[in-house]
Amino acid sequence: MAEQIVILTGAGISAESGLGTFRDAGGLWTQYPLEDVATPEGFARNAGLVHEFYNMRRRDARAAQPNAAHHAIAKLAAHQQVTLVTQNVDDLHERAGFADPIHMHGELMRALCPTCTQSHAWTGDMQTESACPSCDAPGLRPDIVWFGEIPYHMERIGAALSDCSIFVSIGTSGEVWPAAGFAAEARANGARTIELNLEPSNGPFDEVRTGPATQVVPAFVA
Ligand code: BV8
């Protein structure tokens, strides 16, 4: 039977495309305290600051290009059964040709209406008075899963983790839950677990290959 591969990516896969990671030196959380910009409480306190944070990241993501690691995963999916779960909110996997990544933490290029709960494509800047294209209510928020909120697509992810024979973690520190528990969950279901990362995260991996994603991911896929 063909291998069923689950790949989990984090901010490290987009680092060489110029997009900031969170916990590395100079990372995003050192510039903006996550409590202020990645929690519902922070948004309620100061929506303008949150929009400033995500407008900057949305502009950066639009200016960035997918790198060799994003392209290698898209190439693998052309001839293997790959479920891609990403913690990233940029669209670099899609722009590298991977059709349907599972964005468990939401997407920079989408807006969520707190009034009618509709999600909309949104590629420009967002302000506190930005209105919902469906119900016209002001107060749109980025369609991002913040700390304390329930990640998207958890059932679909759980099903993929129970069926997979190989689990590959790429560019994530493994510090954010529930994503941090996926490798152990896959291994408990009998999968071989592999980490491709700049440095080992010391998670439950059968194999660890260290180095920049643009080197270790194409080598793994080859
Ligand atoms: C949940 C928003 C319940 C989008 C993010 C107390 C109260 C409430 C919750 C909790 C709590 N204690 C714990 C929790 C759970 C909490 C959590 O995990 N907190 C942590 C901090 C302890 N989690 C939650 O709240 C989640 N929700 O638990 O709900 C629930 C759960 C399941 C079912 C039902 C109910 C929601 C978490 C989502 C939060 N939103 N982001 C955004 O702004 O981007 S998380 C944020 O961190 C990003 O999404 C990011 O992707 C994610 C993970 O970070 P990484 O991607 O790993 O990035 P990091 O910088 O950490 O690491 C980069 C790695 O890359 C490093 O290893 C580095 O070595 C490597 N690297 C760097 N350069 C390269 C490289 N690798 C290769 N090549 C390179 N060139």
Side-chain angles (χ1 to χ4, degrees):
M1 184 180 78
E3 299 283 15
Q4 301 227 45
I5 304 171
V6 170
I7 296 177
L8 171 70
T9 58
I13 199 169
S14 297
E16 290 161 272
S17 294
L19 298 185
T21 61
F22 293 88
R23 295 169 185 82
D24 292 318
L28 285 165
W29 295 151
T30 59
Q31 301 159 43
Y32 289 83
L34 74 85
E35 297 74 20
D36 293 344
V37 294
T39 62
E41 297 78 11
F43 186 66
R45 257 196 321 273
N46 185 346
L49 177 66
V50 175
H51 284 310
E52 179 193 306
F53 176 64
Y54 285 100
N55 289 345
M56 168 201 69
R57 292 181 60 204
R58 194 173 297 111
R59 280 185 237 122
D60 291 349
R62 288 181 59 192
Q65 294 303 320
N67 62 51
H70 297 103
H71 287 294
I73 293 173
K75 187 180 131 203
L76 178 68
H79 57 85
Q80 287 273 7
Q81 170 85 16
V82 175
T83 300
L84 174 59
V85 181
T86 186
Q87 299 172 92
N88 298 342
V89 293
D90 62 56
D91 60 350
L92 297 183
H93 283 302
E94 290 89 334
R95 287 166 51 199
F98 193 100
D100 60 341
I102 300 175
H103 282 280
M104 66 180 291
H105 290 164
E107 297 176 65
L108 271 177
M109 306 300 169
R110 297 194 70 80
L112 178 66
C113 176
T115 304
C116 72
T117 74
Q118 284 294 303
S119 173
H120 300 275
W122 194 281
T123 55
D125 283 1
M126 203 182 293
Q127 278 79 32
T128 49
E129 61 279 5
S130 295
C132 172
S134 293
C135 74
D136 213 25
L140 280 182
R141 58 169 274 183
D143 192 355
I144 296 285
V145 177
W146 286 326
F147 287 94
E149 296 186 318
I150 298 176
Y152 287 143
H153 311 299
M154 287 302 293
E155 278 185 27
R156 191 171 154 207
I157 295 168
L161 292 172
S162 59
D163 295 344
C164 73
S165 50
I166 298 175
F167 176 87
V168 188
S169 177
I170 303 173
T172 179
S173 61
E175 294 199 14
V176 175
W177 294 84
F182 290 175
E185 190 173 340
R187 182 186 250 186
N189 293 322
R192 174 169 168 70
T193 57
I194 299 163
E195 178 175 53
L196 309 177
N197 208 50
L198 195 60
E199 57 212 16
S201 67
N202 303 317
F205 296 105
D206 299 309
E207 180 184 354
V208 176
R209 299 187 191 186
T210 53
T214 56
Q215 291 173 25
V216 293
V217 180
F220 174 75
V221 166

